[in-house]
Amino acid sequence: MSLFQDTFTTTIPGVRVRFGAGVRHKVAEEMEAMGLSRALILTTPQQADTGAEFAALLGVKSVGVYAGAAMHTPVAISEEATAKALELGADCILAVGGGSTTGLGKAIALRTDLPQIVVPTTYAGSEATGILGQTEGGRKTTITTPKVQPEVILYDAELVRTLPVAMTVTSAINAMAHAAEGLYAQNRSPISTLMAIEGLRAFRDALPRVLDNPSDLHARGETLYGAWLCGTVLGTVGMAIHHKLCHTLGGSFDLPHAETHSVILPHAIAYNEKAAAQALAPVAEIFGEASPGQALHDFALRMKAPLALRDLGLKETDLDRATEIATQNAYWNPRPVEAGALRQLLQRAWAGDAPQA
Ligand code: NAD
């Protein structure tokens, strides 16, 4: 039975979550509740208009808009935005956008301890984690600290309606990857598993309806609900080979974030499906197939997601180096990470072949 509802407000440890179409209009109320009165609004250059709408909504509670957020949180931009927050006397950050904008808000919080309110407009899930990935000199590093965990999240389905269909699909599968890997995480709990299962179910049910009608607010709301659940799983438990591969491909080969997650997911889950058969059983159940990897591949195919790394710009000659980087530092995975098997996985993902257990 679905646990979904269109509108709710909830508080989970340390994070206040308000959910509902139009809930962005509650930003000022949320600031007042925390005794805050001077927000610096963050967006990407592409979402500067949305930033201006929030500035108008906040009136004197806005000290300005910084519309310079960029993918993978470049340190130079974080430093410039931090200087702007301090210069304007901001007492909080209001990040409106996807993972890139949320990342910039976290980077400012890391440097200033300013509280963060996030209004997500993709399904990436960064708003629900205390994880910050940043880049400097072509290197991507990740830190995990409660200092960067946003205090308030406002999930407003009206804002995801503008997400283009292709990005809707890859961003959704990016979110589903947090849940799928969360199912076999070493430090999973009944609560993270419950959230992962419900998150996957929400995307299975609602994503096809969003593709039929991208303005369907109820369906958009259900996908955003899925994003919150999956993002919370990412923030709660450890990830494994899937996230390691995507980190490698994004960080060292500059592949696009959500698209890369989308291509790799069925292959990474197939890689682990024998070693984590019991933990991954819900995936096959939810998607109605015998094999979790094949189930995710078929769902991606139905959603018209990208299936091949070569279509994202990776060269076949890069596959050996990608394997080498992804096996450099030891990390836990249900099935031991073995270079030969990983190289085969990447070959199939590069060509767009079906996954193999
Ligand atoms: P993004 O934030 O880079 O957004 C991609 C583009 O889509 C941008 O131009 C953005 O302005 C635009 N966009 C976003 N929402 C829109 C909307 N509703 N309508 C129209 N355009 C919209 O992409 P993303 O996939 O959300 O985030 C990727 C970044 O987030 C990566 O750097 C990744 O590493 C990071 N991330 C971090 C975590 C974490 O926990 N630290 C989790 C997930 C992702």
Side-chain angles (χ1 to χ4, degrees), residues 35 40 65 70 81 94 97 114 125 141 163 171 183 188 194 204 213-214 223 270 284 287 306 325 329 349:
L40 176 65
V65 180
L94 173 59
L114 287 177
T141 51
L163 195 61
S171 189
L183 285 172
R188 67 184 179 270
L194 201 67
R204 178 207 62 194
N213 176 10
T223 49
F287 293 92
I325 298 171
N329 301 319

Side-chain angles (χ1 to χ4, degrees), residues 44 46-47 71-73 97-101 106 121-126 129 131-133 140 159-164 167 171 174 178 234 257-258:
T44 58
Q46 296 80 7
Q47 288 179 288
M71 186 73 94
H72 303 312
T73 329
S100 298
T101 307
K106 289 174 166 182
T121 64
T122 71
Y123 307 123
S126 175
T129 82
I131 306 166
L132 169 64
K140 185 165 178 176
L159 292 176
V160 272
R161 280 190 303 188
T162 52
L163 195 61
M167 230 200 117
S171 189
N174 177 193
H178 312 326
L234 173 69
H257 178 82

Side-chain angles (χ1 to χ4, degrees), residues 291-327:
S291 141
Q294 190 62 41
L296 290 169
H297 176 76
D298 292 351
F299 183 71
L301 205 62
R302 282 201 303 282
M303 297 302 106
K304 300 188 171 57
L307 297 172
L309 292 176
R310 67 172 160 197
D311 295 340
L312 306 184
L314 191 74
K315 296 199 284 292
E316 193 169 13
T317 48
D318 287 333
L319 294 175
D320 285 340
R321 197 159 67 88
T323 306
E324 203 181 300
I325 298 171
T327 47

Side-chain angles (χ1 to χ4, degrees), residues 165-191:
V165 167
M167 230 200 117
T168 294
V169 170
T170 54
S171 189
I173 297 176
N174 177 193
M176 289 165 54
H178 312 326
E181 282 225 295
L183 285 172
Y184 53 58
Q186 268 185 312
N187 57 348
R188 67 184 179 270
S189 72
I191 300 299

Side-chain angles (χ1 to χ4, degrees), residues 244-275:
K244 177 73 178 183
L245 281 173
C246 294
H247 196 267
T248 300
L249 294 167
S252 303
F253 300 91
D254 214 21
L255 293 202
H257 178 82
E259 289 89 334
T260 304
H261 273 269
S262 195
V263 172
I264 292 292
L265 183 62
H267 297 277
I269 296 304
Y271 185 90
N272 283 332
E273 72 184 29
K274 285 192 184 127

Side-chain angles (χ1 to χ4, degrees), residues 32 43 231 299:
E32 277 158 30
T43 68
F299 183 71

